[in-house]
Amino acid sequence: MSLKRNILDLRKRKSEVLKGGGDKAIEKQVAMGKLTARERILYILDEGSFHEYDLFVEHVGRDFDMEKKKLHGDGVIIGTGTIHGSPICIFAQDFTVAGGSLGLMHARKITKIMDHALKMRVPLIGINDSGGARIQEGVDSLAGYGEIFFRNTLASGVIPQISVILGPCAGGAVYSPALTDFVFVVNNISKMFITGPSVIKTVLGEEISMEELGGAKVHAEVTGNAHFYAESELECFDQIKKLMAYIPWNNKQKATKIEPQLPKKKTKIENIVPGDPKMPYDIRDIIQAITDDSEFFEIMELFAPNIVIGFGRLNGETVGFVANQPKVLAGVLDCDSSDKAARFIRYCNAFNIPIITLEDLPGYLPGVDQEHAGVIRHGAKILYAYSEATVPKITVIIRKAYGGGYIAMNSRHLRADFVFAWPTAEIAVMGPEGAANIVFRKEIAEAEDPEAMRQIKIEEYKEKFANPYVAAARGYIDEVIEPEDTRKMLLHALQVSANKAVSGPSKKHGIPPF
């Protein structure tokens, strides 16, 4: 009977704790259009796979009458489960318990599951929905954040770290998501900022809403702090599960290979690119003409759209795509697109994902704004990332490859393993128009009809330099290929480079242009 009473007591305690902040707090959460912390976890993980830890942890605050308050689980849920049958660690802040505020034990629960994820080499998902540091616990809250940030850094490049912003995430709390690999946001639910609207109004006298300051669209389109944007929580969770299907579980593995499929896109690849090199097209059409089942999972779609990054599969294996987007700013590299590409390249390199580069750009974006924004420093990041990467690196030059842009987009000079070019490729120091104006300046100026002479010299320059054959003659291009052979050549290159091994000079670490 004693054991039976103990079991009943356990069940009673569990049912009480599982209510979180209580029925009223849950009703308020639902009224805001949000799911509860446990509902979120259960939707993301495989059915029946979640195991919760530290269910009965309580806060240790003793000031400001905190000793009189009972905070179930101290406002955060931690545990393990599976996604696609593979193990994963997860935590979710519970806004119904003290606004999900972070105190000492709250932080210790999070760091416990982070340590578990790193030790077991499994991915970590963190769901952020919190009012920030628990002021009543003072410096203990700040210490908790510091311990989390340190572990984020320690786990970086070892296990995938995913942050999901499903409520407020303010002050020091925002730095943990910023240190993770992928950040997911949901329209009208996610809020991220260092200082809120009230502080900004007090200090600067500026009025701005929470949504305008740090809403989901702001971070997906303007700041680049978010990698995935969704209109609902359920859409967001489906995005997470799709991402997990593409990436490996740690840096010692490769992504799970699936059954290979042919592209299903019916448009012939050579019909996608216009004959006029000044005409735009959508580079995603090229990607979908190459990938298995024509699938492409784009990352940071709304930010710096002049470059496209994301995952696809070739012969059932995950590859990362970095591609200039001619339909946006002619696909130029600028501060934001360089940051976007460089970070993705480093992620792929850390997690053994081959990188395929599709190149079509006139170079780096000129202008006072870009120069003053630090395009030299930002542009160098993409050079550093490609040079540093040791995974298989394959480039296909489709049209323009001018100047510094040609070098930056995984050229042979940055140690690309294979560089292919279409017959339409134009590889030169600069575009024919600009080059003709400089090289043939005297002839144009002295001609009876300067404009007619200019056009003649442009064509002369195009014929001599704006083609792939000069670079091919120097060995900078491995092969000039027909567009319809692109997938076949990529499959061959990936097969040949599957066991690639590269070693560099011994060093603690490099110093990239952060």
Side-chain angles (χ1 to χ4, degrees):
M1 291 299 293
S2 175
L3 177 58
K4 189 173 183 180
R5 280 198 301 270
N6 288 339
I7 292 172
L8 291 172
D9 179 57
L10 170 63
R11 290 174 180 173
K12 182 182 177 183
R13 288 172 182 267
K14 270 189 173 182
S15 65
E16 191 175 317
V17 174
L18 290 172
K19 289 182 180 179
D23 293 335
K24 286 186 178 179
I26 291 172
E27 286 172 14
K28 189 175 179 182
Q29 176 91 343
V30 173
M32 290 189 286
K34 296 158 65 176
L35 298 173
T36 65
R38 278 191 181 79
E39 285 173 337
R40 290 164 171 170
I41 289 173
L42 295 177
Y43 193 93
I44 292 172
L45 300 182
D46 295 339
E47 188 176 351
S49 71
F50 180 56
H51 293 270
E52 185 172 349
Y53 312 137
D54 289 350
L55 182 66
F56 298 112
V57 162
E58 275 289 339
H59 72 89
V60 293
R62 292 297 175 263
D63 298 316
F64 306 103
D65 294 327
M66 283 296 291
E67 70 276 6
K68 299 175 183 176
K69 295 182 180 179
K70 195 169 185 65
L71 305 180
H72 293 310
D74 204 16
V76 65
I77 300 165
I78 68 168
T80 56
T82 63
I83 293 179
H84 308 310
S86 296
I88 201 159
C89 289
I90 192 166
F91 71 84
Q93 293 178 312
D94 188 348
F95 197 78
T96 70
V97 180
S101 58
L102 185 138
L104 179 63
M105 297 308 296
H106 181 118
R108 282 185 179 172
K109 286 181 69 172
I110 292 175
T111 55
K112 180 178 182 176
I113 201 66
M114 293 177 80
D115 289 341
H116 197 66
L118 186 57
K119 181 169 60 178
M120 303 303 176
R121 295 294 193 266
V122 300
L124 175 73
I125 296 176
I127 301 174
N128 297 265
D129 187 2
S130 168
R134 191 174 298 155
I135 298 170
Q136 297 92 328
E137 294 195 31
V139 72
D140 279 340
S141 294
L142 300 180
Y145 279 123
E147 293 291 337
I148 291 169
F149 303 157
F150 178 78
R151 284 167 173 82
N152 285 137
T153 307
L154 203 63
S156 182
V158 181
I159 57 172
Q161 297 182 87
I162 293 167
S163 292
V164 195
I165 314 300
L166 295 179
C169 184
V174 298
Y175 290 117
S176 178
L179 289 167
T180 60
D181 301 315
F182 299 104
V183 178
F184 291 75
V185 293
V186 176
N187 193 27
N188 295 321
I189 290 177
S190 307
K191 308 285 187 294
M192 275 200 299
F193 35 71
I194 298 292
T195 52
S198 58
V199 176
I200 289 175
K201 184 177 180 181
T202 301
V203 176
L204 301 174
E206 298 176 2
E207 290 197 28
I208 189 167
S209 69
M210 288 177 69
E211 194 66 34
E212 292 170 319
L213 178 64
K217 277 203 171 177
V218 169
H219 290 300
E221 293 181 1
V222 181
T223 69
N225 289 327
H227 301 81
F228 295 96
Y229 170 88
E231 289 291 345
S232 70
E233 289 195 33
L234 297 187
E235 181 188 350
C236 172
F237 301 153
D238 288 339
Q239 289 174 342
I240 294 169
K241 288 189 273 193
K242 189 170 184 178
L243 172 66
M244 297 311 297
Y246 277 103
I247 61 177
W249 249 231
N250 59 55
N251 65 350
K252 298 296 183 183
Q253 298 179 349
K254 295 194 74 173
T256 302
K257 184 175 180 178
I258 67 170
E259 190 68 27
Q261 296 183 63
L262 292 172
K264 64 183 179 186
K265 204 166 185 66
K266 293 178 181 178
T267 307
K268 283 196 172 184
I269 193 168
E270 61 263 35
N271 295 336
I272 295 171
V273 180
D276 184 349
K278 293 180 181 178
M279 290 291 289
Y281 63 93
D282 194 334
I283 195 67
R284 288 170 293 200
D285 291 337
I286 298 285
I287 296 172
Q288 289 171 337
I290 294 169
T291 57
D292 288 10
D293 204 32
S294 295
E295 283 194 352
F296 176 56
F297 189 47
E298 190 169 353
I299 298 168
M300 298 181 83
E301 182 179 354
L302 303 178
F303 178 72
N306 43 314
I307 203 157
V308 171
I309 60 172
F311 297 120
R313 289 191 182 90
L314 285 170
N315 196 35
E317 295 188 353
T318 296
V319 294
F321 282 93
V322 179
N324 306 114
Q325 176 56 291
K327 68 183 288 189
V328 181
L329 297 173
V332 294
L333 288 173
D334 57 8
C335 294
D336 287 342
S337 62
S338 296
D339 284 358
K340 174 180 171 179
R343 195 172 189 277
F344 181 68
I345 292 162
R346 299 195 83 195
Y347 181 85
C348 289
N349 189 52
F351 288 97
N352 313 306
I353 298 170
I355 302 165
I356 293 174
T357 303
L358 302 180
E359 185 174 354
D360 186 351
L361 82 162
Y364 281 92
L365 182 63
V368 175
D369 289 346
Q370 282 294 304
E371 296 292 350
H372 288 184
V375 70
I376 296 171
R377 173 168 50 87
H378 290 278
K381 293 177 186 179
I382 195 168
L383 293 161
Y384 192 101
Y386 270 127
S387 299
E388 180 188 46
T390 58
V391 293
K393 300 182 292 186
I394 306 159
T395 298
V396 180
I397 303 173
I398 295 170
R399 284 198 312 194
K400 301 184 187 73
Y402 296 157
Y406 155 68
I407 301 169
M409 292 298 291
N410 194 38
S411 61
R412 167 72 63 198
H413 325 294
L414 303 187
R415 302 301 183 266
D417 297 301
F418 294 93
V419 181
F420 304 120
W422 286 12
T424 49
E426 300 177 7
I427 305 164
V429 174
M430 62 192 306
E433 290 82 0
N437 288 340
I438 295 170
V439 176
F440 305 109
R441 179 171 49 207
K442 187 177 180 182
E443 291 96 323
I444 292 171
E446 292 175 353
E448 288 185 13
D449 187 343
E451 183 55 33
M453 178 59 72
R454 182 172 174 273
Q455 292 302 319
I456 290 170
K457 293 301 181 183
I458 288 172
E459 291 305 316
E460 185 180 325
Y461 184 88
K462 277 184 181 179
E463 188 174 336
K464 191 165 187 179
F465 295 109
N467 61 65
Y469 302 108
V470 175
R474 301 290 191 277
Y476 302 145
I477 303 296
D478 292 303
E479 191 171 348
V480 181
I481 63 172
E482 293 186 26
E484 66 177 13
D485 291 333
T486 303
R487 176 178 161 92
K488 180 179 73 175
M489 295 306 297
L490 289 173
L491 288 170
H492 173 72
L494 288 168
Q495 183 183 29
V496 170
S497 58
N499 296 315
K500 177 185 175 183
V502 177
S503 59
S506 176
K507 56 183 175 180
K508 197 170 186 179
H509 57 72
I511 306 169
F514 286 153

